[in-house]
Amino acid sequence: MKVLKFGGTSVGSPERMKKLLDIINPNEKQIVVLSAVSGTTNSLVEIADCFMKGNKEKAMVATQDLKQKYEIFIHELFLKAEYLDKSKEVIDYHFNLISSFSKVVFSSVEEKIILAQGELISTHLYHLYLAEIGIQSVLLPALDFMKIDEDNEPIVDYITQKLVPLLQANKDCNLFITQGYICKNSSGEVDNLRRGGSDYTASLIGAGIRSQEIQIWTDIDGMHNNDPRIVKGTKPIAQLSFDEAAELAYFGAKILHPQSVFPAQKYKIPVRLLNTMQPDAKGTLITNDSERGSIKSIAAKDDITVIHIHSTRMLLAYGFLRKVFEVFERYKTSIDMITTSEVALSLTIDDTRYISEITRELSTYATVEIEKQQTIVCVVGDFNAEEHGAASKVLDALKHIPIRMISYGGSSYNVSLLIKTTDKVEALKSLHNRLFD
Ligand code: ADP
Ligand code: ASP
Ligand code: MG
């Protein structure tokens, strides 16, 4: 069985929703994972934010605005009165639920329920659309099988345990429609896999059912060799290894959710990145194989904070790094880049929730300096030390830009550099010219 995920723009209009049948084959067994209609999750974030700040009036206006968009949407999607009525009920149900939060004490529990409505609506509408045109499908509630643990880690075994029986109970059916992004947490509340999380859902389902292939259908023809939003003339990459794709996703290539490669990688399930607007384009195939000898792609991750830890005594004496890392572990803050000298250590984080506590603890044995608004630029490809020359090209391309940190040699397929965010656009363009033109 294949898993096909369609992103926000791929279900972004009634016309686009109808066009999905150019790609989905109703005669083949498939699990179809849908995102919310594009723009919806942003609107839901705004609505929840207004409720959280106590601005109920603004929340209700935004809720009505969004509802109106869906009222227009369903009139274009459905032809038969019966299905239009059913879809109206769906819209009313979800928007009444959102509106009902004006009457309660609003917390992060309600916030996450609001954020889940986009995927619940899009999947229900698509399921009804298929029914209207006579195609049988089963609507699988992701909240019944997608779960995260206390550390917000999805539980693949739980997915297998819960999802396989649901599929078996519907043996006669080919198409299974389900929500991306949403899940339950360890307290049984509605939660989500973070923004862009529908890719992660597809990969987790693929892993959970050991699917034959995972297809991520989006609005571009695969992973490009640089950020197409910033650099002109970027090109799709035909083939990437799981490690390379994971690195690019983690370091800012928005086409893939940062964690989404890992479940597929663990079970060696090929992932294809494909373009809904150009279904025949080859896209990118992600497998265990890596093509040797070339630089593949560049990505950048913003909102990085660098922490410089300077100690006058025996910084690198044994036990010191453990002491430093334990602080970050205690505050569940992961570190992206590290560089060391005899007396100083610099590291970067992107989650700054506990930065004051971390700084306070580190300050008991070192001088700590913090710099914000940094960007990690990540170049992925064959950096095998034997194939010398690749890393020097990267440095040469950035010779006019101050580089704050460099990470090279941690793996043979990546070089990461820390620069000021204000230098990012120039860095990406200059790297592109030097490495690909
Ligand atoms: P979806 O809604 O289908 O999940 P996203 O907007 O999350 O789509 O991801 C697709 C977008 O990712 C593209 O439109 C493109 O602008 C952006 N993007 C950023 N970096 C890359 C890259 N290296 N390759 C391809 N797309 C990229
Ligand atoms: N709808 C969610 C978002 O906009 C999840 C996704 O699209 O992948 O972030
Ligand atoms: Mg996305």
Side-chain angles (χ1 to χ4, degrees):
M1 194 185 268
K2 286 183 186 164
V3 180
L4 279 67
K5 175 259 171 175
F6 295 92
T9 33
S10 304
V11 293
S13 66
E15 192 197 345
R16 291 244 62 90
M17 257 194 192
K18 292 179 187 178
K19 291 283 275 183
L20 294 188
L21 280 174
D22 291 353
I23 295 164
I24 298 167
N25 179 356
N27 301 317
E28 228 182 79
K29 285 233 172 239
Q30 287 148 97
I31 298 186
V32 175
V33 176
L34 299 185
S35 290
V37 169
S38 60
T40 298
T41 310
N42 285 345
S43 301
L44 294 172
V45 168
E46 191 196 320
I47 292 166
D49 195 46
C50 291
F51 276 130
M52 195 68 103
K53 290 179 176 145
N55 196 342
K56 290 183 184 174
E57 239 167 69
K58 197 168 168 203
M60 295 305 275
V61 171
T63 305
Q64 279 314 309
D65 285 351
L66 187 61
K67 187 178 181 197
Q68 256 170 30
K69 285 189 190 153
Y70 279 98
E71 277 160 355
I72 298 168
F73 195 103
I74 57 174
H75 275 94
E76 287 172 25
L77 186 61
F78 297 99
L79 288 174
K80 298 181 184 160
E82 180 196 348
Y83 284 92
L84 194 56
D85 286 348
K86 283 185 183 177
S87 67
K88 269 189 191 141
E89 276 172 34
V90 171
I91 302 300
D92 284 344
Y93 171 80
H94 291 282
F95 283 94
N96 286 343
L97 177 71
I98 298 173
S99 303
S100 73
F101 292 129
S102 65
K103 298 189 187 77
V104 301
V105 178
F106 198 82
S107 72
S108 67
V109 173
E110 287 75 25
E111 177 184 35
K112 284 168 178 167
I113 296 175
I114 289 188
L115 296 187
Q117 301 311 307
E119 272 71 9
L120 291 167
I121 296 174
S122 64
T123 47
H124 207 151
L125 293 183
Y126 191 60
H127 172 66
L128 281 179
Y129 169 71
L130 290 176
E132 189 193 60
I133 61 170
I135 295 176
Q136 195 200 354
S137 69
V138 173
L139 187 59
L140 293 174
L143 298 178
D144 287 355
F145 61 82
M146 193 58 69
K147 192 171 173 178
I148 51 175
D149 65 16
E150 298 77 18
D151 296 321
N152 295 325
E153 288 294 329
I155 313 165
V156 174
D157 287 347
Y158 184 88
I159 300 169
T160 311
Q161 231 180 63
K162 296 286 179 182
L163 183 54
V164 172
L166 288 177
L167 300 175
Q168 276 166 353
N170 293 285
K171 270 207 173 91
D172 300 339
C173 192
N174 281 335
L175 294 186
F176 296 88
I177 316 293
T178 193
Q179 301 84 26
Y181 178 59
I182 65 174
C183 62
K184 285 266 179 84
N185 62 25
S186 58
S187 313
E189 295 150 353
V190 175
D191 212 315
N192 61 66
L193 303 172
R194 311 279 174 95
R195 295 304 305 271
S198 299
D199 304 328
Y200 203 11
T201 302
S203 182
L204 288 162
I205 291 179
I209 65 159
R210 314 291 191 265
S211 84
Q212 169 196 351
E213 183 172 294
I214 297 158
Q215 299 181 352
I216 308 285
W217 290 88
T218 181
D219 58 1
I220 190 164
D221 54 348
M223 178 75 79
H224 276 217
N225 57 2
N226 205 332
D227 191 329
R229 296 166 299 179
I230 296 174
V231 178
K232 282 201 191 107
T234 60
K235 295 203 173 66
I237 309 159
Q239 213 275 326
L240 283 172
S241 69
F242 287 117
D243 286 332
E244 291 167 337
E247 204 85 38
L248 289 167
Y250 187 74
F251 286 114
K254 191 194 170 219
I255 186 169
L256 275 179
H257 176 281
Q259 265 86 46
S260 59
V261 176
F262 302 119
Q265 178 170 29
K266 182 162 181 204
Y267 296 97
K268 299 191 179 63
I269 300 165
V271 179
R272 279 184 201 277
L273 309 182
L274 297 155
N275 188 350
T276 340
M277 330 284 169
Q278 256 176 278
D280 296 330
K282 266 181 66 188
T284 301
L285 174 64
I286 306 168
T287 62
N288 250 342
D289 304 324
S290 172
E291 194 193 308
R292 295 290 308 274
S294 65
I295 295 183
K296 302 256 177 86
S297 184
I298 305 161
K301 183 176 177 181
D302 293 332
D303 295 323
I304 299 293
T305 296
V306 58
I307 306 177
H308 302 288
I309 303 163
H310 195 279
S311 169
T312 42
R313 35 189 181 99
M314 311 231 352
L315 180 86
L316 295 182
Y318 64 83
F320 182 82
L321 287 179
R322 180 177 50 78
K323 238 168 119 180
V324 170
F325 292 148
E326 270 172 4
V327 176
F328 288 85
E329 194 184 343
R330 245 191 319 281
Y331 293 102
K332 291 189 176 170
T333 300
S334 62
I335 297 167
D336 286 332
M337 276 177 85
I338 308 171
T339 57
T340 59
S341 77
E342 182 59 21
V343 290
L345 168 69
S346 295
L347 42 84
T348 70
I349 59 171
D350 68 343
D351 177 359
T352 51
R353 268 176 304 171
Y354 298 107
I355 188 124
S356 321
E357 290 86 342
I358 290 171
T359 310
R360 197 174 51 238
E361 289 204 23
L362 293 174
S363 299
T364 58
Y365 47 84
T367 315
V368 180
E369 225 182 288
I370 311 276
E371 278 182 274
K372 295 187 174 162
Q373 277 148 29
Q374 308 289 307
T375 290
I376 295 177
V377 172
C378 163
V379 184
V380 162
D382 188 357
F383 286 100
N384 196 312
E386 307 311 316
E387 313 258 342
H388 45 80
S392 73
K393 273 193 201 168
V394 170
L395 291 178
D396 186 53
L398 299 178
K399 62 184 174 217
H400 56 304
I401 290 170
I403 299 171
R404 330 298 291 276
M405 281 168 72
I406 299 177
S407 175
Y408 171 72
S411 79
S412 60
Y413 48 82
N414 139 289
V415 171
S416 304
L417 308 110
L418 187 78
I419 57 171
K420 273 198 211 153
T421 301
T422 45
D423 289 328
K424 177 180 82 167
V425 171
E426 174 54 26
L428 291 185
K429 286 182 177 167
S430 182
L431 280 166
H432 201 78
N433 290 339
R434 182 74 179 86
L435 301 177
F436 301 126
D437 272 355

